[in-house]
């Protein structure tokens, strides 16, 4: 349980706050695409817990998190699907070279350049990461930079996998 200090955290410092205020909300049934034009409806991910991350190539905290999210995806394998969705308005022209440079082993380059997913999640900040359980219901979210390599995050993810 987090102490009162964490609950009263300044809005500018959201790096360590797991927010459960939207727990139970359904994952938006929206379609994302990859650079090749393949489409994926997020609602099709139900059946496995999902860690959904909104990011952009121009967002320094987002770029910093991506290798940790790739490691997390590799660590959890089939028990947790990590879906990163670029909010770059340049779409594949921005995302494809970024993924090529970073050489991720487990992340896929999903994009949603219309920015509708951010509105659906009611988040205007990047990065925004939401954990959904296997039925597609929100467990918690983090808005802002987070240490995805921490023991704390593994305890929090266990809530959806258990």
């Amino acid at each position: 349980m987090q102490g009162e200090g964490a609950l009263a955290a300044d809005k500018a410092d959201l790096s360590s706050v797991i927010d459960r205020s939207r727990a139970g909300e359904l994952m938006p049934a929206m379609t994302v695409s990859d650079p090749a034009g393949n489409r994926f409806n997020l609602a099709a991910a139900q059946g496995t817990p999902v860690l959904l991350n909104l990011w952009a190539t121009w967002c320094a905290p987002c770029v910093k998190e991506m290798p940790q999210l790739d490691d997390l995806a590799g660590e959890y394998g089939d028990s947790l699907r990590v879906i990163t969705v670029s909010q770059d308005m340049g779409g594949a022209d921005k995302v494809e070279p970024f993924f090529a440079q970073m050489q991720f082993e487990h992340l896929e380059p999903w994009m949603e350049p219309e920015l509708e997913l951010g509105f659906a999640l009611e988040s205007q900040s990047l990065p925004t990461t939401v954990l959904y359980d296997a039925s597609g219901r929100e467990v918690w979210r983090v808005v802002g930079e987070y240490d995805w390599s921490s023991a704390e995050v593994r305890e929090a993810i266990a809530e959806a996998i258990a």
Side-chain angles (χ1 to χ4, degrees), residues 53-75:
N53 173 267
L54 300 185
W55 69 285
T57 58
W58 50 261
C59 167
C62 301
V63 171
K64 182 178 175 183
E65 287 183 345
M66 293 292 281
Q68 292 177 359
L69 291 169
D70 188 52
D71 290 344
L72 203 62
E75 178 181 334

Side-chain angles (χ1 to χ4, degrees), residues 53-55 59 61-62 65 123 125-129 142-146:
N53 173 267
L54 300 185
W55 69 285
C59 167
C62 301
E65 287 183 345
S123 179
S125 299
L126 294 178
T128 292
T129 307
V142 174
V143 177
E145 185 177 340
Y146 195 76

